[in-house]
Amino acid sequence: MSKKQENATAYWKENLRYLAILLFIWFLVSFGFGILLVDQLNEIKLGGFKLGFWFAQQGSIYVFVILIFVYIRLMNKLDKKYGLDE
């Protein structure tokens, strides 16, 4: 296997690891907090709203947008690490 192919494989593995972690966080926030743990989180109020309701309606969307920016930052660092930045 050539050095270029080894770098491409390592790059792809690292990218998939980032994706798995970020998708898990999004799943935890949207499904876990918004559906599974909603009753426990509804005991807490955030801005006059129950926290479980907030996660189900808005929180998971905010987290998703934040995760997009985190992914961009991680990919920019990964591109620089493997010399693929422009």
Side-chain angles (χ1 to χ4, degrees), residues 34-83:
I35 297 173
L36 297 178
L37 300 173
V38 71
D39 293 330
Q40 292 86 352
L41 290 174
N42 278 341
E43 301 295 323
I44 303 167
K45 299 273 186 178
L46 177 69
F49 297 99
K50 295 176 180 178
L51 188 59
F53 173 79
W54 183 83
F55 268 112
Q57 298 302 313
Q58 295 175 347
S60 60
I61 296 169
Y62 289 149
V63 170
F64 180 69
V65 171
I66 291 167
L67 289 177
I68 290 171
F69 288 106
V70 169
Y71 181 70
I72 291 169
R73 183 179 170 119
L74 289 171
M75 290 310 297
N76 284 337
K77 286 183 178 183
L78 190 64
D79 287 348
K80 285 180 185 175
K81 179 179 177 181
Y82 287 97

